[in-house]
Amino acid sequence: MGDMSSWLPIVAMFAVVYFFMIAPQMKRAKNEKKFAAELKRGDKVITKSGLHGKIVELNDKDRSCVIETMSGKLKFDRSAISMEMSKSLNEPPKK
């Protein structure tokens, strides 16, 4: 019985770490992957570095996209597009 009570705090710590740190991170990664897969031509996006533009071409072979900005067209990896900032651009305006 003494062995079981000494392992209980360690097991509880792992459970807390999993539910408060690992599980939310996995959910966020899943949502970002889904967002990158659902990108389409004409979507307004913001990259993680802060570049604003519109998607003009998607390449499934190397998972890249061409973004048109005011200064020209640039090729980016889809993972470089910020999900949080880009979603706010494409939402319909609230009344």
Side-chain angles (χ1 to χ4, degrees):
M1 190 69 168
D3 289 334
M4 188 79 118
S5 62
S6 65
W7 283 96
L8 189 61
I10 296 172
V11 171
M13 276 189 346
F14 280 117
V16 167
V17 167
Y18 178 79
F19 286 111
F20 287 108
M21 294 177 74
I22 298 171
Q25 185 65 25
M26 289 172 39
K27 182 178 178 182
R28 178 182 166 94
K30 182 180 173 184
N31 287 341
E32 284 186 9
K33 194 176 206 180
K34 181 181 174 189
F35 172 77
E38 292 176 348
L39 288 173
K40 59 187 178 302
R41 292 181 67 194
D43 282 350
K44 293 179 183 177
V45 295
I46 303 174
T47 63
K48 291 180 181 175
S49 62
L51 182 88
H52 293 244
K54 184 172 30 171
I55 296 178
V56 292
E57 184 182 325
L58 293 166
N59 187 349
D60 289 331
K61 184 185 264 186
D62 62 355
R63 308 261 315 135
S64 66
C65 61
V66 176
I67 298 175
E68 183 177 24
T69 64
M70 292 182 77
S71 62
K73 295 180 181 178
L74 301 168
K75 186 174 182 177
F76 278 93
D77 192 54
R78 288 188 197 184
S79 64
I81 297 173
S82 172
M83 179 178 69
E84 291 85 18
M85 292 186 279
S86 296
K87 277 190 175 181
S88 64
L89 284 177
N90 292 314
E91 285 181 352
K94 296 179 181 177
K95 292 182 181 181

